Amino acid sequence: MKYEQTKEVMNQLVADLSQFSVVIHQTHWYMRGPEFLTLHPLMDEFMDEINDQLDVISERLITLDGSPYSTLREFADNTKIEDEIGTWDRTIPERMEILISGYRYLADLYQKGIEVSGEEGDDCTQDIFIGFKTDIEKKIWMVSAKVDKAPNIAPAHERA
């Protein structure tokens, strides 16, 4: 079979992007405070971007004769992004830290995809992974700046 590792990473992304969209949605619903009017619509933009990535990854996986996860059960059973019951007791900075963590995880997964698709000679998928990793790193920078931190864009094994 061709591109097996690449397809595995892509299906992991299908589960994780689906889950992360829910995490962003929870942030969207469960935030309160003086920044609500600014951040609430921004979360819509963040969800749209993640859902667009999900669609591109899923369609590319199908193009490679793969079968993307497509049920809530499959997403839940295969995601590596944790979830929690929504509560009102998290501050906006705490919610932003949760988003940063999720974005970092996705950046690392895209990096893995870049590596395996390169090894398997799938230049087209590698290009998709590179572009989406770039977009995710920009979100890490932006959300990190919101909580007065540097983006610390580095491979997972190099981050402090």
Side-chain angles (χ1 to χ4, degrees), residues 80-143:
K80 293 187 171 106
I81 295 177
E82 291 187 33
D83 65 356
E84 62 180 41
I85 301 297
T87 65
W88 296 103
D89 62 349
R90 289 207 183 270
T91 65
I92 287 176
E94 288 170 334
R95 292 195 180 283
M96 296 300 107
E97 291 289 350
I98 291 168
L99 295 183
I100 292 166
S101 177
Y103 280 123
R104 285 194 193 287
Y105 168 77
L106 290 174
D108 292 341
L109 187 54
Y110 277 125
Q111 182 59 45
K112 180 179 179 184
I114 291 165
E115 292 165 10
V116 299
S117 61
E119 290 168 8
E120 293 182 333
D122 183 357
D123 297 341
C124 295
T125 303
Q126 188 179 52
D127 185 58
I128 292 168
F129 288 151
I130 290 168
F132 286 162
K133 182 177 185 224
T134 302
D135 295 341
I136 293 292
E137 286 181 346
K138 184 175 181 180
K139 283 293 183 290
I140 293 168
W141 160 58
M142 295 172 79
V143 180

Side-chain angles (χ1 to χ4, degrees), residues 21 53 87:
S21 179
Q53 289 182 13
T87 65

